[in-house]
Amino acid sequence: MPEQSQPAAFSVDETVSLRSRAGVPLGTPNSFTVKTILPSDNGHRYYRIRSMEEAFDRIVPEANLVAADQCQTIHDDEARRNFRMRFAPKRRR
């Protein structure tokens, strides 16, 4: 009997953003549209996404996506964390 897969977290035509910008080249767009929900692979769901600013699609795992209405908060939190790591005074032991 085949495994019951979880429902997709995002739907076709939904606007999403990448959860983390770490390792993503500068100039990469912030907003993408889900084009296709790909079949689950070993319990991991992937999506084909595209930005209006790029001439190609990206295949991204569900864990690396966030709904567009939540993305600014996540990016702000990540920016604050990166700032603290770079500029916070070092603690002495």
Side-chain angles (χ1 to χ4, degrees):
M1 183 177 221
E3 283 184 31
Q4 293 291 333
S5 61
Q6 296 287 355
F10 307 102
S11 58
V12 172
D13 293 329
E14 185 172 354
T15 303
V16 296
S17 183
L18 298 174
R19 183 173 293 279
S20 172
R21 306 293 293 178
V24 176
L26 291 175
T28 299
N30 288 327
S31 180
F32 298 87
T33 302
V34 174
K35 293 299 182 181
T36 307
I37 301 169
L38 301 172
S40 183
D41 179 30
N42 292 328
H44 301 284
R45 185 173 312 279
Y46 288 82
Y47 296 81
R48 184 171 59 90
I49 62 173
R50 177 174 272 206
S51 170
M52 295 289 289
E53 301 170 36
E54 296 177 325
F56 57 89
D57 293 347
R58 295 170 181 264
I59 305 297
V60 182
E62 186 172 270
N64 288 2
L65 293 175
V66 64
D69 59 350
Q70 297 175 354
C71 71
Q72 190 59 49
T73 300
I74 288 173
H75 293 297
D76 288 347
D77 290 347
E78 185 176 340
R80 278 194 285 285
R81 187 172 42 255
N82 288 340
F83 181 84
R84 282 194 306 267
M85 288 175 60
R86 287 185 78 186
F87 298 108
K90 303 289 184 214
R91 294 183 184 187
R92 293 189 170 212
R93 293 180 184 210

